[in-house]
Amino acid sequence: MAGTSEPHPPPVILLDNLVKFFGRFAALRGISASFAPGRLYVVLGDNGAGKSTLLRVVAGLMEPSQGSISLLGAKRIREVAPRIGYMGHAPLLYDELSGMENLRYFAGLYGIPDDEVSRNAMRMVGLDPDLPRRVGQYSQGMRQRLSLARAVLHDPELILLDEPFSNVDVHSARDMAAVLGRVRDQGKTIFVVTHQAALMEDVADEFVHMAAGQIVSRDEVVRKSVNVGSMR
Amino acid sequence: MTTLTVTRTTLLKDLRMEWRSKDAINSMLFFALLVVVIFSFAFNPTAEESRMIAGGLIWVAFLFAAVVALNQTWARELRNQVLDAYRVSPAPPNALFLAKAIGNFLFVVVLECLMTPLFVIFYELRSIGPVWQLIVVALLGTWALVVNGTFFAALSIRTRSREIMLPLILFPISIPALLGMVDATTSILTGEATPDFWIKLLAVYDIVFTAICLMLFETVLNAE
């Protein structure tokens, strides 16, 4: 935890009794939690624990059935949409376009006219911006990297990532985890839903465990001889 | 970032993707071509008879062909769940709708430009009324079809049998517009009546339904 004597910064995410029903099935069962800025949270849990649903509700892709969310100080997620980055379980990319064409389009949605921003995002995840190949011909690992680039393209303060390492080889996954660590060090708050906790051990600040639609425990990662507060 | 900018960006992206895949235009062309040829052999009308039935024939062919393209409008956005990327962005929802509607309008206009000469040849069509009025009717009628079609295609994307749902919802609501298109076209081709009333009806229909679609699209986009 960042310097205990320092005043606590306002939470990036504040969840108050969050409930989400799908028909009669409750995917989220009264989650109340707050998450501080500048930290990397890893959300773990079995299939059906509600991890992806929680992420989609926080991203504004689903309305909660009950309860409320405050995101970056706003009650309406739409108001803070430019400050949020979301990477879904699916790549959220057009197969018919090249990597740069995809990023250029999504940059346009955030009012970013400068091509260099898209090129830098591609370089950051280890992809060549001049690669003319269409995304449909990318390997799974390349798609995931590009999807990460799309999510962080507009320099969001809060980044929500759903299974970013699925179908990615270990080497690429480690590279992606390192990228996330660097992004967190720039003061961003990151939520990663994953089944591969081991990949995140070196960079995570907190592991959030979910089961049956609830947060059952939160384990902070304590690193030896590192003054975390002074690093951020 | 304005609605206009995002509309333009999204439209250019859609046109680029269609240029590469030609999914919509090929399926529309093939369908419309079948209608022209089959009806021509089935009825073998004289020039006079053609003028009487061509209005209905042309618009029914374009309506059915447009449905084929409209069904594909949102398919690209559903693949890889790309629509979620738009929904989490601050881009105005109406910009997406306008881009899709304009894109479909352009695809159907291209289809009309390619198919009209074939209609003229196969049905020995010659307009007695002014041709410029046919162009006005074509533009207003095409917009009437695509604006509702784009909206209802969005409405049915989360349904299991969306390809059946779209015509089921679209055709009944398009009846006033279809009536206007067919009667205006027949009036112009035969020169027997003035199409003014039908053109005004189409213009009002376009304005009303464009406004309704724009008002409701955000709700449709964010529906679970």
Side-chain angles (χ1 to χ4, degrees):
Chain A
M1 180 71 86
T4 49
S5 60
E6 292 172 14
H8 288 292
V12 172
I13 302 175
L14 192 61
L15 310 175
D16 182 19
N17 193 28
L18 208 64
V19 176
K20 177 66 188 174
F21 281 104
F22 292 110
R24 292 171 64 187
F25 170 73
L28 301 179
R29 300 165 188 247
I31 295 179
S32 295
S34 74
F35 298 93
R39 293 172 66 81
L40 199 160
Y41 297 93
V42 179
V43 185
L44 303 170
D46 293 338
N47 290 334
K51 308 181 298 291
S52 294
T53 305
L54 177 64
L55 216 65
R56 288 180 68 81
V57 169
V58 171
L61 290 167
M62 282 179 178
E63 282 289 316
S65 307
Q66 287 170 35
S68 64
I69 306 173
S70 172
L71 223 58
L72 297 159
K75 286 282 178 194
R76 289 192 68 238
I77 296 173
R78 185 112 192 116
E79 287 170 17
V80 289
R83 297 160 66 190
I84 301 171
Y86 173 76
M87 175 182 173
H89 192 56
L92 278 64
L93 298 164
Y94 293 102
D95 283 347
E96 299 88 342
L97 302 178
S98 71
M100 261 307 282
E101 286 169 341
N102 264 287
L103 292 197
R104 206 176 281 138
Y105 170 65
F106 291 111
L109 300 185
Y110 287 87
I112 303 167
D114 189 0
D115 242 21
E116 202 50 39
V117 174
S118 302
R119 298 179 76 83
N120 285 339
M122 280 195 82
R123 285 189 203 109
M124 187 187 77
V125 296
L127 290 174
D128 177 8
D130 296 319
L131 189 70
R133 203 192 303 172
R134 292 178 195 172
V135 169
Q137 297 162 338
Y138 274 23
S139 70
Q140 189 65 30
M142 290 168 79
R143 277 164 179 252
Q144 292 292 83
R145 283 162 181 256
L146 187 62
S147 189
L148 178 62
R150 186 201 52 72
V152 300
L153 176 73
H154 54 290
D155 196 23
E157 291 165 52
L158 172 62
I159 302 163
L160 308 166
L161 310 173
D162 192 357
E163 301 281 5
F165 313 120
S166 63
N167 299 318
V168 177
D169 64 84
V170 177
H171 181 71
S172 297
R174 287 200 190 285
D175 286 350
M176 284 173 76
V179 169
L180 294 179
R182 287 200 296 274
V183 172
R184 183 272 320 276
D185 292 342
Q186 292 164 11
K188 316 295 182 190
T189 310
I190 305 176
F191 264 79
V192 182
V193 166
T194 184
H195 289 288
Q196 292 150 283
L199 282 170
M200 300 301 292
E201 272 172 358
D202 292 340
V203 289
D205 291 311
E206 191 172 327
F207 288 98
V208 179
H209 299 270
M210 287 188 74
Q214 290 178 317
I215 293 176
V216 288
S217 66
R218 293 174 64 167
D219 300 325
E220 258 184 58
V221 177
V222 182
R223 293 202 183 84
K224 283 184 283 183
S225 68
V226 176
N227 183 349
V228 181
S230 66
M231 281 182 68
R232 301 196 185 120
Chain B
M1 181 187 40
T2 62
T3 300
L4 203 66
T5 322
V6 179
T7 302
R8 184 176 161 274
T9 309
T10 307
L11 176 63
L12 290 176
K13 180 263 298 171
D14 281 349
L15 293 178
R16 176 178 287 131
M17 286 166 68
E18 178 58 27
W19 179 254
R20 286 177 184 173
S21 71
K22 298 184 180 64
D23 285 343
I25 207 80
N26 279 349
S27 46
M28 278 196 304
L29 263 177
F30 185 67
F31 192 90
L33 196 65
L34 275 181
V35 173
V36 173
V37 175
I38 289 171
F39 275 73
S40 166
F41 286 125
F43 296 121
N44 195 19
T46 62
E48 190 56 34
E49 286 167 341
S50 286
R51 270 196 284 272
M52 297 300 291
I53 63 166
L57 194 67
I58 288 170
W59 282 110
V60 167
F62 289 155
L63 174 65
F64 285 145
V67 167
V68 177
L70 289 166
N71 264 322
Q72 293 179 21
T73 302
W74 299 99
R76 287 191 187 114
E77 307 297 325
L78 292 181
R79 220 176 292 145
N80 296 340
Q81 296 178 17
V82 194
L83 197 57
D84 282 350
Y86 194 96
R87 288 177 61 205
V88 296
S89 80
N94 278 342
L96 179 65
F97 174 75
L98 282 174
K100 293 286 177 191
I102 295 169
N104 284 329
F105 178 78
L106 294 176
F107 298 152
V108 179
V109 166
V110 168
L111 171 83
E112 288 168 357
C113 292
L114 294 172
M115 292 309 297
T116 302
L118 288 180
F119 272 109
V120 171
I121 294 165
F122 275 86
Y123 296 92
E124 298 174 51
L125 283 177
R126 194 175 61 82
S127 174
I128 292 174
V131 174
W132 68 266
Q133 284 185 335
L134 278 177
I135 295 169
V136 173
V137 171
L139 294 176
L140 290 173
T142 305
W143 183 255
L145 289 183
V146 300
V147 77
N148 280 331
T150 306
F151 181 79
F152 289 118
L155 196 68
S156 57
I157 51 175
R158 288 179 186 87
T159 59
R160 232 174 282 169
S161 43
R162 58 175 172 270
E163 276 157 23
I164 301 167
M165 280 299 290
L166 177 61
L168 276 179
I169 314 171
L170 178 63
F171 290 175
I173 213 150
S174 299
I175 286 173
L178 201 60
L179 196 68
M181 295 174 224
V182 173
D183 280 348
T185 307
T186 308
S187 302
I188 297 163
L189 287 176
T190 59
E192 286 174 359
T194 168
D196 292 357
F197 170 76
W198 299 113
I199 290 174
K200 282 176 193 161
L201 176 93
L202 279 174
V204 172
Y205 183 97
D206 283 358
I207 292 166
V208 169
F209 278 93
T210 305
I212 292 172
C213 292
L214 287 173
M215 274 194 295
L216 298 178
F217 183 71
E218 186 170 0
T219 310
V220 170
L221 183 69
N222 294 320
E224 290 172 23

